[in-house]
Amino acid sequence: MNAKPPQTWKCEHTLKEHTASVNAVAIDPQGNILASGSDDRTVSLWDLKTGKRIFTFFGLLNAVFSVAFNPRTPFLVSGDFDNTITCWNLDTNAVRSFSGRSGTNNAHSSSIFSVAFTSDGENLASGSADQTIKIWNIPRWVSTRTLRGHTDTVWSIAISPDGQILASASADKTIRIWPLNSWDEPRILIGHSGWVTSVAIGHNGQILASASQDSTIKLWNLNTLKLLCTLSGHSAAVWSVVFSPNRQLLGSAGKDGVKLWNLSTGELLHTLSGRHPIAFSPDGKTLVTGGDGTNIKIWRQYVPATESAPNPVLSGEWYSILCVDKLASPEEVKLAYRRLIKQYHPDINRAANAKDIMQAINEAYAKFEEGARGEF
């Protein structure tokens, strides 16, 4: 029996509306909308399926370094170079500033490089070049807590799925693990030899991934704080790291490209022609990355055709062509048709005769539908 062809990724859209470097991307919880933040002082919304731009928010005073969707309400926030957290209501396009300018009570005093919501959408965390992390209560729009301990810029933050833990990555070369339900001191992870630029927590809340200027990615056990493994494959600083929702892949990105790793084995599976930033869709089948700096790339997961894949029968009865029994139920026939489309559509299958195969499949299915209608 032939082995199942490996899954790979194909760039389906390249988005070119931004006029300066794209620093951040995020996908909404439904997997329909992509948000991007740029040095051009805008935040844009895109249709993730078509790649068409939906809307652009103007009026920001400086570059945007991070964006995040609220998981429960139609809010999008950005962390900006001018120390501000800006919030947009996506239903009304109303804008609100969280922290205001430097000097405002509880405001960050320097650029904000990372923002992240708790899973209930009630709280927002922000990490800043002022070496602090702030926790904001969304319903009351106030800062409720400031986490101090880092001695240099906080580049990235991540919150566990249960909302109990916050991890932060800093230019002081450390990772700090903060308990959000108590005032205990953070636990400190040391292992990278350069800035720690990005952190992500796995969807089971048990594994932490960290990326660094030292060109490595490290995986840590969040319960024991033990280092599990170090992934080496990048040739330059790694600026972002993200887990796939299916818990099978880890994505990492820097200026030298995007890499996808097998979480179980640590094996490097794919290198893509993208760059930082990076985000997975909720179903794990779409990947968004930076392009050449001003562009954004949307990648789709697919199974490439193989030379050994058998071709279906191209002539004969419809059920022979669709590889089903003559007495198969309509639902079984539809499922078989869908499977064949996924395998032999010319956009996916690169074989020279893929177009002829697909034509035969479509004609066979049309004959099935004609026969099914004749029964009524």
Side-chain angles (χ1 to χ4, degrees), residues 330 334 368-376:
K334 291 177 183 178
F368 156 73
E369 287 189 314
E370 289 175 6
R373 286 194 297 269
E375 295 178 358
F376 294 94

Side-chain angles (χ1 to χ4, degrees), residues 51-71:
K52 301 297 184 182
R53 184 167 60 89
I54 300 171
F55 191 81
T56 296
F57 296 101
F58 295 95
L60 296 169
L61 299 180
N62 222 308
V64 178
F65 288 130
S66 56
V67 289
F69 285 96
N70 187 300

Side-chain angles (χ1 to χ4, degrees), residues 47-350:
D47 185 308
L48 189 62
K49 183 177 181 180
T50 65
K52 301 297 184 182
R53 184 167 60 89
I54 300 171
F55 191 81
T56 296
F57 296 101
F58 295 95
L60 296 169
L61 299 180
N62 222 308
V64 178
F65 288 130
S66 56
V67 289
F69 285 96
N70 187 300
R72 298 297 178 88
T73 56
F75 290 162
L76 173 72
V77 300
S78 68
D80 308 336
F81 182 80
D82 64 351
N83 321 342
T84 301
I85 300 171
T86 305
C87 177
W88 289 274
N89 184 315
L90 299 181
D91 285 341
T92 65
N93 292 338
V95 181
R96 180 164 188 164
S97 171
F98 256 67
S99 58
R101 303 293 177 264
S102 179
T104 303
N105 186 35
N106 292 327
H108 280 294
S109 60
S110 192
S111 303
I112 298 167
F113 287 108
S114 185
V115 287
F117 281 101
T118 52
S119 58
D120 61 7
E122 293 290 310
N123 294 284
L124 174 77
S126 55
S128 170
D130 66 11
Q131 306 174 14
T132 71
I133 299 129
K134 290 185 179 292
I135 310 298
W136 306 85
N137 180 272
I138 302 302
R140 294 189 289 135
W141 302 90
V142 295
S143 174
T144 58
R145 186 177 175 185
T146 299
L147 306 179
R148 294 183 173 87
H150 283 296
T151 59
D152 209 328
T153 296
V154 178
W155 288 115
S156 174
I157 55 176
I159 300 175
S160 61
D162 61 7
Q164 301 298 303
I165 293 174
L166 181 145
S168 56
S170 172
D172 64 13
K173 304 180 184 179
T174 71
I175 303 157
R176 292 178 187 250
I177 309 299
W178 310 80
L180 294 181
N181 59 349
S182 74
W183 294 87
D184 293 345
E185 289 295 312
R187 297 172 292 174
I188 303 174
L189 303 181
I190 298 174
H192 286 290
S193 60
W195 295 352
V196 187
T197 53
S198 180
V199 284
I201 296 177
H203 297 275
N204 61 4
Q206 305 299 310
I207 300 177
L208 172 77
S210 59
S212 173
Q213 187 188 37
D214 66 14
S215 78
T216 70
I217 301 113
K218 293 182 182 292
L219 298 179
W220 311 78
N221 184 309
L222 267 181
N223 293 322
T224 65
L225 302 188
K226 299 294 185 181
L227 178 64
L228 298 173
C229 65
T230 298
L231 306 179
S232 300
H234 283 278
S235 60
V238 186
W239 280 99
S240 52
V241 65
V242 62
F243 287 94
S244 69
N246 61 16
R247 306 181 185 180
Q248 296 177 358
L249 299 177
L250 180 77
S252 58
K255 288 186 178 179
D256 66 337
V258 171
K259 298 185 183 295
L260 298 179
W261 310 80
N262 183 316
L263 265 180
S264 299
T265 65
E267 177 189 4
L268 176 59
L269 299 176
H270 306 290
T271 298
L272 308 180
S273 60
R275 52 165 290 176
H276 162 82
I278 183 173
F280 276 106
S281 63
D283 64 5
K285 296 180 180 179
T286 299
L287 181 71
V288 175
T289 72
D292 63 2
T294 62
N295 295 344
I296 302 165
K297 291 187 174 183
I298 298 178
W299 305 79
R300 308 288 189 201
Q301 192 179 66
Y302 78 106
V303 178
T306 63
E307 294 298 327
S308 59
N311 292 333
V313 178
L314 298 187
S315 61
E317 299 294 339
W318 63 265
Y319 47 85
S320 297
I321 296 174
L322 297 180
C323 303
V324 296
D325 186 84
K326 182 178 181 180
L327 300 178
S329 69
E331 187 59 33
E332 289 174 326
V333 175
K334 291 177 183 178
L335 289 174
Y337 176 62
R338 290 169 187 165
R339 283 195 296 267
L340 290 169
I341 288 177
K342 290 179 181 179
Q343 186 173 0
Y344 292 104
H345 195 286
D347 288 346
I348 298 173
N349 192 310
R350 299 175 183 176

